[in-house]
Amino acid sequence: MNVGFIPVRGGSKSIPLKNIKKIAGHPLVYWAAKAACECKDLDRVYVSTDHEEIKKTVENFKFEPDTDSVLSVVRQKRFFWKEEKGFVKPMNYDISARPMRQNFIGSMVENGAFYITGRDQLLKSESRISGNIRAVEMPEYAYYEIDEVYDWKIVEGIMEQRRYELNRKRMPDIKMFLTDCDGCLTDGGMYYTRQGDEIKKFHTHDGMGFELLKQKGILTGIITGEDNILINRRAEKIGVDILKMGVRDKYSMIQSLCRRYGIRLENIVYIGDDLNDVDVIRAVGFGCTVPNASKKIKEISDYITVKRGGEGAVREVIDYILENKKEE
């Protein structure tokens, strides 16, 4: 439900009570209320005022009576029962004609998001809502409150889904996919054999992800501050288009790549996990990181993977991109 609120105060100094002063045959507030009521995107319109004369004027518009209080609710399409003398009876439907869920109006349940009332009404009733009460419906996912341990998990899952939905809305047209290596393609660990040789842990699913991007015509690359033969071998194996090692200034390097390939920063995805990735993640169209990244990186990233680096985090981002990529 979309709701319009029109605040109308009576304390205008230059033009006393200007909101009810007639203009083109009607009080000034009439035109605002008329426009709001005729707006097809608004389901209800409320006028709030601190002045009795304004209230009386608005009531004469033949709108619905002024509202004293407003609360938030979620509509639940569930069948409620109540207990009476040891038996139970339906509260919101007729058991002899049980409606189909899609045709069931359901019941409104408080979700505690907000309660609104006027000062005078509050003092008079000593209750947070009273008088003529209206409800503002919120989405079904807004039903949950964190009262028990399991509520935390449910709300966290909803928030993750909402974050993904918001990200989807701003997904750019991706033309280049770049990632850091250690902490993203690997788990960031430092491993050595008995002979003192360094080894790194990569994930096979990430490699297949690069192939999927190439099939869609998206350039792929690794940009890293390290200069290590193991990274070079991995890059060759998965067939990336671009490999830049020993890079101190990643932002300048990526700007150079943009000029070379004729691609804008807004058409690039980049995955990084540490402070030397901050400027790049801020600049590109879709900046991503992993859950064990530095706090600053996570604060500015558009997408934080569920999987950790070296455990398929890069593939998770690739799958997300391909699921939401704009069609040519």
Side-chain angles (χ1 to χ4, degrees):
M1 176 182 288
N2 296 322
V3 178
F5 285 93
I6 304 177
V8 186
R9 67 187 185 91
S12 175
K13 301 295 184 184
S14 56
I15 306 178
L17 293 177
K18 70 175 182 181
N19 285 304
I20 55 175
K21 185 177 177 65
K22 287 190 175 181
I23 183 170
H26 292 283
L28 180 61
V29 66
Y30 168 86
W31 298 109
K34 182 176 185 293
C37 289
E38 292 176 353
C39 177
K40 64 180 181 180
D41 295 321
L42 294 178
D43 300 298
R44 290 185 180 276
V45 177
Y46 301 124
V47 177
S48 174
T49 183
D50 60 352
H51 198 282
E52 187 64 27
E53 190 173 349
I54 294 176
K55 176 183 176 182
K56 291 178 180 178
T57 300
V58 172
E59 287 175 342
N60 288 332
F61 292 166
K62 296 184 179 180
F63 297 150
E64 294 176 313
D66 281 7
T67 300
D68 296 310
S69 304
V70 182
L71 79 160
S72 60
V73 299
V74 172
R75 189 174 294 277
Q76 291 279 297
K77 292 191 175 184
R78 300 180 185 275
F79 302 103
F80 296 115
W81 292 69
K82 62 180 178 179
E83 188 174 10
E84 287 186 3
K85 299 179 180 179
F87 297 96
V88 292
K89 293 183 178 181
M91 294 175 61
N92 60 345
Y93 80 106
D94 181 356
I95 58 174
S96 63
R98 190 178 192 272
M100 296 180 65
R101 189 178 186 280
Q102 57 266 38
N103 300 325
F104 184 43
I105 190 171
S107 300
M108 292 186 290
V109 182
E110 292 182 33
N111 68 348
F114 60 80
Y115 298 89
I116 302 173
T117 194
R119 176 181 178 276
D120 292 342
Q121 192 71 25
L122 177 64
L123 294 174
K124 178 182 177 181
S125 67
E126 297 184 347
S127 175
R128 57 186 172 183
I129 52 173
S130 61
N132 295 323
I133 304 171
R134 298 195 189 279
V136 175
E137 285 191 42
M138 297 182 69
E140 190 171 359
Y141 65 75
Y143 167 75
Y144 295 95
E145 298 182 64
I146 301 178
D147 295 320
E148 304 294 341
V149 174
Y150 59 80
D151 291 331
W152 187 280
K153 291 294 184 182
I154 293 173
V155 172
E156 188 174 40
I158 293 171
M159 291 179 68
E160 284 295 316
Q161 181 61 35
R162 291 290 296 154
R163 178 167 65 83
Y164 293 162
E165 290 173 358
L166 292 173
N167 284 341
R168 184 178 295 117
K169 293 177 183 177
R170 60 172 177 267
M171 174 67 73
D173 183 16
I174 303 303
K175 299 183 182 298
M176 181 183 287
F177 178 92
L178 302 171
T179 181
D180 185 19
C181 184
D182 278 352
C184 298
L185 281 169
T186 77
D187 61 1
M190 308 266 307
Y191 304 100
Y192 297 91
T193 66
R194 289 184 178 182
Q195 292 73 33
D197 297 322
E198 182 181 355
I199 57 177
K200 290 182 180 293
K201 175 192 173 186
F202 295 93
H203 199 286
T204 185
H205 290 172
D206 292 341
M208 177 56 70
F210 281 96
E211 177 61 30
L212 294 174
L213 289 175
K214 293 180 73 173
Q215 291 175 9
K216 294 292 185 179
I218 298 174
L219 290 168
T220 62
I222 299 172
I223 311 292
T224 175
E226 279 199 276
D227 191 350
N228 189 304
I229 191 172
L230 295 176
I231 300 174
N232 188 70
R233 288 176 180 172
R234 181 59 176 165
E236 288 180 353
K237 183 175 179 64
I238 61 180
V240 297
D241 301 296
I242 302 160
L243 173 62
K244 300 294 181 181
M245 297 190 294
V247 179
R248 290 182 175 272
D249 186 347
K250 294 184 179 182
Y251 179 67
S252 295
M253 173 58 70
I254 291 177
Q255 284 185 312
S256 175
L257 293 174
C258 286
R259 291 190 293 270
R260 177 181 174 183
Y261 291 99
I263 293 174
R264 299 167 65 91
L265 284 167
E266 65 194 53
N267 301 122
I268 295 177
V269 171
Y270 180 81
I271 309 176
D273 70 321
D274 216 334
L275 297 180
N276 60 342
D277 299 306
V278 169
D279 291 341
V280 177
I281 287 179
R282 280 178 172 159
V284 298
F286 199 66
C288 308
T289 193
V290 292
N292 52 320
S294 67
K295 180 180 178 182
K296 187 170 184 179
I297 288 287
K298 290 197 282 189
E299 287 175 348
I300 64 173
S301 293
D302 297 306
Y303 186 100
I304 302 172
T305 64
V306 175
K307 296 179 180 178
R308 298 168 72 90
E311 298 178 0
V314 172
R315 176 62 178 274
E316 180 183 329
V317 175
I318 291 171
D319 287 344
Y320 182 82
I321 291 169
L322 295 179
E323 288 172 4
N324 299 284
K325 188 179 185 300
K326 295 179 180 178
E327 297 296 330
E328 300 293 340

